[in-house]
Amino acid sequence: HTRYSGDWSSDVCSSDLTGVFRDCNFTGNIAGYSGGGLSGGAVFIGSRFLNNQAERHGGGAFISSGRIENCIFEDNNASGKGGALFVTGPNSGVLPSSGSIRILGTFFTGNDSGLDGGAICLESHSAPWSEDTRGISNSVFKMNSAARNGGAVWFGSLTPLSNCIFTKNVAAQNGGGVGIEGNYFTPIPLSNCLFLENNASAGGGWYRTPTTQGWPQNLNEENISNCLFYGNSASVSAGGIFTSSR
């Protein structure tokens, strides 16, 4: 078991980091820019990110790509996007990104962001994808919050979600559970998920809108199967699901 703890900077920061972190703890670290616990691209298995902070993005970790399996992200904070985790896009100018991100069996609880994605913010990415290279499954998002959009998750890229639980997450604006913004010719797969008691101004459980004004509604259809939306609320519109063609 490895423990990383710090004071004013992230534990590990490398633009070409490709290591595998097993059973590691990243606790109480602060980054003056991004990646409170770590910045780079890596594989995390059985690791914990607790009480880390970033002045910009990625309170727990700021990554370009990777695999996160059986981990815990708890009480991390980012003043910008991605309270627990920020995944860069291809034009971020910070880290090279392949667009590959897989998250499995991971808990996100009590994380918050000053902008989008209380737990996770995934930037826009047009790289080819499959459910083997991009997606979130068998994970729990509880009591995360965002001061703008995506109480638990804010996506700018088409990312499949399956067998996940979103409960008691809050966004001040859009998407208490999940918020998505982008133009896609295929619907985003959402299957076997529970959305319970999430809250936002619009789309208490699920919010999706295209980026471009006038994007046709028939290209913005949903692909939702075997999901339950219960007890979600919105102060303005769509307590459960909000979709828009702009």
Side-chain angles (χ1 to χ4, degrees), residues 53-183:
Q53 300 177 44
E55 293 300 316
R56 290 294 300 276
H57 310 313
F62 181 92
I63 66 174
S64 58
S65 60
R67 182 181 178 91
I68 298 171
E69 186 172 350
N70 299 326
C71 292
I72 295 174
F73 289 78
E74 184 173 353
D75 294 333
N76 300 286
N77 169 268
S79 298
K81 301 178 181 180
L85 177 66
F86 184 91
V87 184
T88 66
N91 300 316
S92 67
V94 180
L95 296 172
S97 178
S98 67
S100 174
I101 179 67
R102 291 288 289 120
I103 300 174
L104 306 93
T106 293
F107 286 81
F108 296 85
T109 180
N111 304 286
D112 66 274
S113 71
L115 292 174
D116 304 322
I120 299 174
C121 181
L122 175 61
E123 277 199 331
S124 177
H125 212 301
S126 59
W129 68 277
S130 71
E131 294 194 19
D132 292 329
T133 61
R134 192 186 302 166
I136 301 174
S137 61
N138 301 306
S139 296
V140 176
F141 297 82
K142 182 178 181 181
M143 298 180 70
N144 303 286
S145 63
R148 195 163 65 180
N149 303 306
V153 177
W154 182 252
F155 288 146
S157 296
L158 199 159
T159 304
L161 290 166
S162 63
N163 302 302
C164 291
I165 298 173
F166 297 86
T167 180
K168 297 183 178 180
N169 302 287
V170 177
Q173 295 185 21
N174 305 315
V178 175
I180 303 163
E181 184 177 61
N183 299 332

